[in-house]
Amino acid sequence: MLLTIDVGNTHTVLGLFDGDEIVEHWRISTDPRRTADEMAVLLQGLMGMHPLLGVELSDGIEGIAICATVPSVLHELREVTRRYYGDVPAVLVEPGVKTGVPVITDNPKEVGADRVINAAAAIELYGGPAIVVDFGTATTYDAVTARGEYAGGAIAPGIEISVEALGVRGAMLRKIELARPRNVIGKNTVEAMQSGIIYGYAGQVDGVVARMKRELVGPKGDPDDVTVIATGGLAPMVLGESTEIDEHEPWLTLIGLRLVYERNVSRT
């Protein structure tokens, strides 16, 4: 089985693949202070509950693929693979790793590994041109050309960041539950904030995506040829309100990690 680990700024998502199928997944908080040994104990606790894996940490794991946006966590995970999975092939997505996705931005090294991984999965599942909208700590928009190139994207504050900012900077406002309100016209402060966040973000998504579509296909192309894929833990908050999203793939990054692992580790 292949263990995939996607480390984001707020959450870390882990997935187990049996061939092409994801058979188990977990979401935990990302803690930059967590040591390699603590991570190993956490992994053992999670995987020990799965019926296909044994008691020992490395039982049943035949490969590992990792991408991380937090350098300190990537360092500790590298130590985890060395100490606890020494005999298991491991791919950590960083410069030099084959992703199969040409990056045609001004400075390819600036592009986050998770964004390139998402592009790889989008190409594999849906082809190009495509746009990936990832609802995480930040909301990222990533454009993939018809030739399967990563063309660039946009970055906006994430939904939870916006909620926290309102609670901190608004004297009469407070933190609220992220939930869809009864109406767009809120009848109280909480509903008004929920409406502004949910419907405001749906409008942002539709506006940014529509403009990106036109740039991707050019003046003679058809924007409807672009597939828009939503992913990330907060995607369900916007899915029902956005008119531009075509597909929802919650495990897009994990699928991309599987693909990159296969492109870098021989199956012989």
Side-chain angles (χ1 to χ4, degrees):
M1 301 184 75
L2 174 68
L3 172 63
T4 55
I5 304 175
D6 169 30
V7 181
N9 289 296
T10 304
H11 294 117
T12 295
V13 181
L14 306 96
L16 275 178
F17 282 88
D18 186 2
D20 295 344
E21 181 184 0
I22 186 166
V23 295
E24 186 60 276
H25 54 83
W26 304 275
R27 180 181 294 270
I28 61 175
S29 61
T30 298
D31 185 352
R33 301 167 300 175
R34 194 174 282 145
T35 68
D37 294 328
E38 289 172 322
M39 290 180 183
V41 171
L42 182 58
L43 286 173
Q44 185 164 6
L46 291 171
M47 293 189 294
M49 297 183 291
H50 196 278
L52 297 181
L53 297 175
V55 176
E56 294 298 325
L57 189 59
S58 59
D59 282 356
I61 300 298
E62 300 168 332
I64 304 172
I66 300 170
C67 75
T69 59
V70 184
S72 60
V73 177
L74 180 62
H75 172 78
E76 294 301 316
L77 282 171
R78 195 188 304 275
E79 185 68 7
V80 170
T81 62
R82 186 188 70 82
R83 290 188 58 187
Y84 297 94
Y85 294 92
D87 297 330
V88 176
V91 174
L92 285 75
V93 181
E94 52 193 347
V97 171
K98 300 174 185 177
T99 63
V101 181
V103 179
I104 56 173
T105 60
D106 292 341
N107 186 354
K109 292 182 180 178
E110 288 182 346
V111 181
D114 56 331
R115 302 178 74 181
V116 180
I117 292 295
N118 283 346
I123 295 165
E124 178 74 13
L125 296 176
Y126 306 103
I131 296 170
V132 176
V133 186
D134 191 344
F135 295 87
T137 304
T139 299
T140 58
Y141 302 81
D142 298 306
V144 181
T145 69
R147 296 184 296 273
E149 302 158 325
Y150 179 89
I155 304 173
I159 297 176
E160 286 185 336
I161 288 178
S162 298
V163 172
E164 290 174 4
L166 276 175
V168 171
R169 299 296 296 271
M172 299 296 291
L173 304 178
R174 58 187 185 276
K175 287 194 67 174
I176 59 169
E177 178 190 3
L178 272 175
R180 186 172 284 101
R182 294 175 295 176
N183 304 290
V184 179
I185 302 173
K187 300 299 184 182
N188 53 62
T189 300
V190 170
E191 286 187 353
M193 292 175 67
Q194 289 171 334
S195 176
I197 292 294
I198 300 301
Y199 300 117
Y201 250 87
Q204 178 201 110
V205 169
D206 289 344
V208 172
V209 166
R211 287 168 171 79
M212 290 181 74
K213 278 183 172 182
R214 292 196 291 270
E215 285 190 21
L216 264 179
V217 300
K220 296 182 180 180
D222 185 354
D224 290 338
D225 291 339
V226 181
T227 304
V228 181
I229 308 110
T231 192
L234 296 174
M237 300 300 304
V238 178
L239 285 176
E241 310 306 330
S242 170
T243 60
E244 292 284 354
I245 294 173
D246 300 310
E247 305 287 346
H248 176 218
E249 178 46 73
W251 314 123
L252 191 72
T253 311
L254 300 184
I255 293 170
L257 281 169
R258 175 181 61 80
L259 294 170
V260 171
Y261 176 86
E262 292 170 355
R263 290 167 184 169
N264 285 269
V265 177
S266 173
R267 286 184 154 185
T268 58

